[in-house]
Amino acid sequence: MGIAVIDQGPELFWFVSNALIQDEIHLKHLQTIQAGEHNILQELPEIVILNGDNKTLLPEKFINKMRNHVFARNTHFIVVTADTSVEFKKNLLIAGAGQIVYRGKGYGPSPKYFSSLIKWFLNSKNPDPQIFDYKPVPFPADAEFTSFGRIGWISSTHCMIEANLDLNPGQSIEITNTLFEELEIKNAKLVCVEKNTVGRYYQYANSILCKITSKDIHKDSKTLENWILNNQNLSKHKPIKVVYFENDPDYREEIKQMIKVGSAFCARGYPDIKDFQEVLDYQLPHLILINRSLIQQDKAKFEALRSFVKTHFCFCVTYSESEVFNSEEFKKLYEFAMHVPKHIDLPLLESMVLKLENKLPENLKTDSKKFYFNKHSVNSRLSLHANCKITELALNGTGVLLPFEINNFCACEISSNVFPIMELGRAQYFRSFNSKKSPDNSNGYFHRLVFMGQNVKDKELVKNGTESIALVGYERWLKGDIEPLS
């Protein structure tokens, strides 16, 4: 655990060290992409800070590769760069960068802000509201909210998506998707039917079963049905979800090699069981493979599995090649699991997956009336849209009202015609910092958002705009009257 800084030179590491001098956080400086990758896969640091201007690094590709590793998916990436181009920023955000910080000749982030950013990333699920110096001014404006998600499968009438929106049954949201555009399905919306009953395939907070609605739903459902029938040979279903718990970096790499593209299972990996119950509830795995040394470290947490397997289609296999963690003792203590005397190799894994496939409940089996997207398919990507209200603006973020809750750390785009009055682009990128029920007791939620990839020029524009609003008021600023009254 800790923070890794990847940069050829020492300057970025010195800056990070200085910013975190008051914090007891383990830092490591790595000078090459090879050393960085090795460190990430061996030590699984919580945060990796990259020099985005290092041409040998190719940060978009590096982040995307690491974020797709079975054990490194929870690592946060911060890119420090002088490249202010919109295209570079978008590519980084799509690849999975958690934040982009601008640094160049004569400008850079303050150590205080950078320290606050690190503290937020280390506790993004429940951040301290006082981490950032947040002094908003009133900024009431109509806006459009866009977030992103994935489609797991689609039928002629329904689809299973993953997103960082917490929709409740009956709530609907507008969507755009390349498949819907290709099939000319107009005014597409998804209506939440139920959520979080099948676990996650991607890394989003919620899995949501949705009913599809559109301008001509009868015609469009037939179109979808025919498309699914004609493309069934491209459907890629991985019905078995395997979750590994392994603390040995070398065996973790062996596990990675066992996960083949054409496998009938998908896999996630964790280096410990400190959040064991949370992982069970989030992933809803069908097969758990766990090193007995981790159980020995915290038997109380592992006990959560005893009740979980009674109510879910889930099997557990423990393993260890150490005589210290002999399988015979574990057979007596944990009769609900299978205990093998050595590491699990590929033939054993494939035989277990095959047996589980044959035992799957009907609702989890491959269905020819559904199309299951490959994660690399552009058609699996989904944009979700809703109207929202901006209520306030600060130097490092904004506040918006939405009819539903979005999860902390959710990435989103807020577009408004008022931003250009401040000489900003109409669309701005944010991450959700925290949320609460709307203060006026309506059905909505207030969300405090933090700017993502806010460059030096835009930060100065926001600073000037908020200072003017504080001086003359929002209405006068909106009309261009920014001179103080005498």
Side-chain angles (χ1 to χ4, degrees):
M1 298 297 179
I3 298 175
V5 180
I6 305 178
D7 188 15
Q8 287 177 321
E11 292 82 7
L12 181 57
F13 180 76
W14 290 341
F15 169 77
V16 175
S17 299
N18 181 58
L20 303 179
I21 198 167
Q22 301 296 326
D23 304 293
E24 294 183 3
I25 301 174
H26 176 67
L27 296 178
K28 181 167 282 190
H29 180 208
L30 305 153
Q31 294 181 294
T32 67
I33 185 172
Q34 294 81 9
E37 182 173 335
H38 179 77
N39 173 265
I40 292 170
L41 300 184
Q42 288 282 311
E43 299 187 20
L44 300 178
E46 293 166 284
I47 299 173
V48 174
I49 301 167
L50 305 173
N51 180 353
D53 302 323
N54 182 347
K55 301 306 179 185
T56 66
L57 184 60
L58 299 175
E60 310 104 302
K61 292 184 178 180
F62 182 74
I63 293 172
N64 184 65
K65 179 181 179 181
M66 292 296 97
R67 295 276 295 175
N68 276 295
H69 191 282
V70 62
F71 281 96
R73 292 173 183 271
N74 294 323
T75 298
H76 293 310
F77 289 87
I78 297 173
V79 179
V80 180
T81 180
D83 188 339
T84 60
S85 67
V86 174
E87 182 180 4
F88 185 56
K89 177 165 71 173
K90 282 186 175 181
N91 288 340
L92 288 172
L93 298 182
I94 290 170
Q99 184 58 288
I100 303 162
V101 177
Y102 290 95
R103 177 193 66 165
K105 190 174 182 179
Y107 66 88
S110 73
K112 181 182 177 182
Y113 169 77
F114 199 84
S115 174
S116 299
L117 182 67
I118 296 298
K119 290 174 183 175
W120 175 35
F121 273 45
L122 291 174
N123 189 25
S124 59
K125 291 182 180 179
N126 188 29
D128 178 356
Q130 306 304 317
I131 286 178
F132 293 106
D133 185 19
Y134 186 69
K135 297 177 181 177
V137 296
F139 198 81
D142 291 331
E144 296 90 47
F145 164 89
T146 299
S147 189
F148 313 96
R150 291 282 197 149
I151 303 178
W153 59 258
I154 191 167
S155 72
S156 61
T157 57
H158 291 74
C159 64
M160 181 68 73
I161 72 167
E162 291 187 29
N164 286 322
L165 314 184
D166 195 8
L167 298 179
N168 290 314
Q171 285 187 304
S172 65
I173 190 160
E174 296 179 15
I175 63 160
T176 54
N177 169 263
T178 55
L179 176 63
F180 283 63
E181 292 170 359
E182 176 190 327
L183 300 179
E184 298 184 346
I185 295 175
K186 310 289 187 183
N187 301 339
K189 290 185 179 182
L190 301 182
V191 181
C192 174
V193 176
E194 61 183 22
K195 63 184 179 183
N196 301 338
T197 60
V198 296
R200 317 302 191 275
Y201 179 82
Y202 298 99
Q203 282 182 278
Y204 294 93
N206 296 294
S207 59
I208 309 170
L209 176 63
C210 300
K211 183 179 179 180
I212 302 167
T213 68
S214 63
K215 184 176 181 180
D216 189 344
I217 190 59
H218 179 73
K219 171 179 168 291
D220 293 336
S221 64
K222 287 290 185 184
T223 300
L224 278 169
E225 185 178 6
N226 290 333
W227 185 88
I228 292 168
L229 180 65
N230 292 332
N231 291 276
Q232 192 58 229
N233 62 314
L234 300 175
S235 183
K236 303 291 183 184
H237 190 204
K238 296 189 173 186
I240 303 300
K241 192 177 301 170
V242 181
V243 174
Y244 272 96
F245 295 90
E246 177 54 62
N247 57 352
D248 181 347
D250 293 330
Y251 186 53
R252 287 202 298 257
E253 193 53 37
E254 283 188 42
I255 291 168
K256 174 66 171 64
Q257 302 307 317
M258 287 192 278
I259 302 168
K260 309 293 184 181
V261 173
S263 301
F265 66 93
C266 61
R268 296 289 180 270
Y270 297 86
D272 53 52
I273 63 170
K274 67 177 182 179
D275 299 316
F276 192 62
Q277 181 70 65
E278 183 180 328
V279 171
L280 293 179
D281 295 337
Y282 177 80
Q283 296 288 358
L284 297 181
H286 308 126
L287 177 61
I288 294 170
L289 304 175
I290 182 168
N291 191 317
R292 284 194 285 274
S293 66
L294 293 175
I295 301 172
Q296 191 71 29
Q297 290 173 18
D298 201 333
K299 292 182 177 180
K301 278 200 168 68
F302 184 68
E303 278 291 338
L305 189 59
R306 188 181 297 275
S307 57
F308 185 84
V309 296
K310 291 178 181 178
T311 54
H312 296 81
F313 179 81
C314 179
F315 295 84
C316 176
V317 180
T318 78
Y319 60 86
S320 177
E321 294 194 339
S322 171
E323 285 300 317
V324 177
F325 310 114
N326 188 282
S327 61
E328 295 305 314
E329 178 189 350
F330 282 78
K331 287 177 183 177
K332 297 173 186 175
L333 293 173
Y334 309 109
E335 74 290 344
F336 56 84
M338 175 182 171
H339 309 278
V340 298
K342 60 178 182 177
H343 282 164
I344 295 165
D345 57 19
L346 182 58
L348 178 57
L349 175 59
E350 289 180 335
S351 69
M352 287 190 290
V353 168
L354 182 59
K355 288 177 182 177
L356 287 176
E357 267 195 283
N358 294 331
K359 292 182 178 180
L360 269 176
E362 286 300 318
N363 65 314
L364 297 177
K365 289 183 177 179
T366 303
D367 186 343
S368 62
K369 294 183 180 179
K370 298 175 182 175
F371 185 91
Y372 302 87
F373 289 99
N374 183 298
K375 70 177 182 179
H376 299 295
S377 168
V378 294
N379 289 337
S380 75
R381 299 182 182 275
L382 189 70
S383 295
L384 304 110
H385 312 277
N387 293 326
C388 67
K389 296 279 188 182
I390 303 175
T391 62
E392 61 191 33
L393 185 69
L395 184 60
N396 53 30
T398 189
V400 300
L401 289 172
L402 282 162
F404 45 78
E405 193 171 6
I406 62 176
N407 299 86
N408 286 359
F409 219 63
C410 170
C412 61
E413 178 184 294
I414 303 294
S415 299
S416 174
N417 291 330
V418 182
F419 284 142
I421 297 174
M422 201 172 278
E423 299 183 38
L424 296 169
R426 187 177 185 278
Q428 298 292 311
Y429 293 95
F430 299 89
R431 277 199 186 279
S432 175
F433 183 75
N434 60 19
S435 62
K436 59 185 178 182
K437 286 289 289 184
S438 174
D440 62 4
N441 293 319
S442 69
N443 293 325
Y445 289 85
F446 170 82
H447 298 87
R448 180 175 153 192
L449 310 177
V450 175
F451 277 107
M452 287 182 72
Q454 186 186 32
N455 63 35
V456 177
K457 177 184 175 184
D458 286 352
K459 187 172 289 188
E460 190 65 24
L461 291 171
V462 173
K463 179 176 181 291
N464 294 338
T466 53
E467 287 178 351
S468 295
I469 292 170
L471 186 65
V472 305
Y474 179 77
E475 293 300 329
R476 286 183 57 197
W477 171 84
L478 201 62
K479 295 174 183 176
D481 182 5
I482 59 173
E483 293 298 323
L485 296 173
S486 56

Short mmCIF file of all heavy atoms in Angstrom, two decimals, residues 95-115:
data_model
loop_
_atom_site.label_atom_id
_atom_site.label_comp_id
_atom_site.label_asym_id
_atom_site.label_seq_id
_atom_site.Cartn_x
_atom_site.Cartn_y
_atom_site.Cartn_z
N ALA A 95 -9.54 6.73 -20.02
CA ALA A 95 -8.64 5.64 -19.63
C ALA A 95 -8.80 5.27 -18.16
O ALA A 95 -8.49 4.15 -17.76
CB ALA A 95 -7.19 6.03 -19.91
N GLY A 96 -9.28 6.22 -17.35
CA GLY A 96 -9.49 5.92 -15.93
C GLY A 96 -8.69 6.78 -14.98
O GLY A 96 -8.57 6.45 -13.79
N ALA A 97 -8.14 7.92 -15.45
CA ALA A 97 -7.42 8.82 -14.55
C ALA A 97 -8.39 9.38 -13.51
O ALA A 97 -9.48 9.82 -13.84
CB ALA A 97 -6.78 9.96 -15.34
N GLY A 98 -7.95 9.36 -12.25
CA GLY A 98 -8.80 9.89 -11.19
C GLY A 98 -8.81 11.41 -11.16
O GLY A 98 -9.81 12.02 -10.82
N GLN A 99 -7.67 12.02 -11.49
CA GLN A 99 -7.58 13.47 -11.52
C GLN A 99 -6.41 13.88 -12.40
O GLN A 99 -5.44 13.12 -12.57
CB GLN A 99 -7.41 14.03 -10.10
CG GLN A 99 -7.40 15.53 -9.96
CD GLN A 99 -8.65 16.22 -10.49
OE1 GLN A 99 -8.85 16.29 -11.71
NE2 GLN A 99 -9.48 16.72 -9.58
N ILE A 100 -6.51 15.06 -12.98
CA ILE A 100 -5.44 15.64 -13.80
C ILE A 100 -5.04 16.95 -13.13
O ILE A 100 -5.89 17.81 -12.86
CB ILE A 100 -5.92 15.89 -15.24
CG1 ILE A 100 -6.42 14.59 -15.87
CG2 ILE A 100 -4.79 16.49 -16.07
CD1 ILE A 100 -7.27 14.80 -17.09
N VAL A 101 -3.76 17.10 -12.85
CA VAL A 101 -3.24 18.29 -12.18
C VAL A 101 -2.25 18.96 -13.13
O VAL A 101 -1.36 18.30 -13.66
CB VAL A 101 -2.55 17.92 -10.85
CG1 VAL A 101 -1.94 19.15 -10.21
CG2 VAL A 101 -3.55 17.26 -9.90
N TYR A 102 -2.42 20.27 -13.33
CA TYR A 102 -1.58 20.98 -14.30
C TYR A 102 -0.38 21.62 -13.60
O TYR A 102 -0.50 22.25 -12.55
CB TYR A 102 -2.40 22.02 -15.06
CG TYR A 102 -3.37 21.35 -16.00
CD1 TYR A 102 -4.68 21.10 -15.62
CD2 TYR A 102 -2.94 20.90 -17.24
CE1 TYR A 102 -5.56 20.45 -16.48
CE2 TYR A 102 -3.80 20.25 -18.10
CZ TYR A 102 -5.12 20.02 -17.72
OH TYR A 102 -5.98 19.37 -18.55
N ARG A 103 0.79 21.43 -14.27
CA ARG A 103 2.04 21.97 -13.76
C ARG A 103 2.92 22.33 -14.95
O ARG A 103 3.07 21.55 -15.89
CB ARG A 103 2.75 20.93 -12.90
CG ARG A 103 4.10 21.36 -12.37
CD ARG A 103 4.88 20.19 -11.81
NE ARG A 103 5.24 19.23 -12.86
CZ ARG A 103 6.16 18.28 -12.71
NH1 ARG A 103 6.77 18.13 -11.57
NH2 ARG A 103 6.44 17.46 -13.71
N GLY A 104 3.47 23.52 -14.94
CA GLY A 104 4.34 23.92 -16.04
C GLY A 104 5.26 25.04 -15.58
O GLY A 104 5.37 25.33 -14.38
N LYS A 105 5.90 25.69 -16.53
CA LYS A 105 6.84 26.75 -16.19
C LYS A 105 6.08 27.93 -15.58
O LYS A 105 5.25 28.56 -16.22
CB LYS A 105 7.57 27.20 -17.46
CG LYS A 105 8.74 28.14 -17.17
CD LYS A 105 9.52 28.44 -18.44
CE LYS A 105 10.71 29.34 -18.12
NZ LYS A 105 11.51 29.64 -19.33
N GLY A 106 6.34 28.19 -14.32
CA GLY A 106 5.71 29.33 -13.66
C GLY A 106 4.37 29.05 -13.04
O GLY A 106 3.75 29.97 -12.48
N TYR A 107 3.86 27.84 -13.14
CA TYR A 107 2.58 27.55 -12.49
C TYR A 107 2.54 26.09 -12.03
O TYR A 107 3.30 25.24 -12.51
CB TYR A 107 1.40 27.83 -13.43
CG TYR A 107 1.31 26.92 -14.64
CD1 TYR A 107 0.63 25.71 -14.59
CD2 TYR A 107 1.90 27.30 -15.85
CE1 TYR A 107 0.54 24.88 -15.71
CE2 TYR A 107 1.82 26.47 -16.96
CZ TYR A 107 1.14 25.27 -16.89
OH TYR A 107 1.05 24.46 -17.98
N GLY A 108 1.66 25.81 -11.10
CA GLY A 108 1.53 24.46 -10.56
C GLY A 108 0.56 24.47 -9.39
O GLY A 108 0.15 25.53 -8.90
N PRO A 109 0.20 23.30 -8.92
CA PRO A 109 -0.75 23.21 -7.80
C PRO A 109 -0.08 23.61 -6.49
O PRO A 109 1.13 23.45 -6.32
CB PRO A 109 -1.13 21.73 -7.79
CG PRO A 109 0.09 21.04 -8.34
CD PRO A 109 0.65 21.97 -9.37
N SER A 110 -0.87 24.13 -5.58
CA SER A 110 -0.32 24.43 -4.26
C SER A 110 -0.14 23.13 -3.49
O SER A 110 -0.93 22.20 -3.65
CB SER A 110 -1.26 25.36 -3.49
OG SER A 110 -2.42 24.65 -3.06
N PRO A 111 0.89 23.04 -2.65
CA PRO A 111 1.06 21.83 -1.83
C PRO A 111 -0.15 21.54 -0.96
O PRO A 111 -0.50 20.37 -0.75
CB PRO A 111 2.30 22.16 -0.98
CG PRO A 111 3.06 23.15 -1.80
CD PRO A 111 2.02 23.97 -2.50
N LYS A 112 -0.82 22.60 -0.48
CA LYS A 112 -2.00 22.40 0.36
C LYS A 112 -3.11 21.72 -0.42
O LYS A 112 -3.75 20.76 0.06
CB LYS A 112 -2.49 23.74 0.90
CG LYS A 112 -3.72 23.61 1.80
CD LYS A 112 -4.20 24.98 2.27
CE LYS A 112 -5.48 24.83 3.10
NZ LYS A 112 -6.02 26.15 3.53
N TYR A 113 -3.37 22.20 -1.66
CA TYR A 113 -4.41 21.57 -2.48
C TYR A 113 -4.04 20.13 -2.79
O TYR A 113 -4.89 19.23 -2.73
CB TYR A 113 -4.60 22.35 -3.78
CG TYR A 113 -5.47 21.60 -4.78
CD1 TYR A 113 -6.84 21.56 -4.64
CD2 TYR A 113 -4.88 20.89 -5.85
CE1 TYR A 113 -7.64 20.85 -5.54
CE2 TYR A 113 -5.67 20.19 -6.74
CZ TYR A 113 -7.04 20.17 -6.58
OH TYR A 113 -7.82 19.45 -7.45
N PHE A 114 -2.78 19.88 -3.14
CA PHE A 114 -2.37 18.53 -3.50
C PHE A 114 -2.51 17.58 -2.32
O PHE A 114 -2.95 16.44 -2.48
CB PHE A 114 -0.92 18.54 -4.02
CG PHE A 114 -0.57 17.32 -4.82
CD1 PHE A 114 -0.88 17.26 -6.16
CD2 PHE A 114 0.04 16.23 -4.23
CE1 PHE A 114 -0.58 16.13 -6.92
CE2 PHE A 114 0.35 15.10 -4.96
CZ PHE A 114 0.04 15.05 -6.32
N SER A 115 -2.15 18.04 -1.13
CA SER A 115 -2.32 17.22 0.07
C SER A 115 -3.79 16.90 0.31
O SER A 115 -4.14 15.77 0.65
CB SER A 115 -1.74 17.96 1.28
OG SER A 115 -2.02 17.26 2.48
#
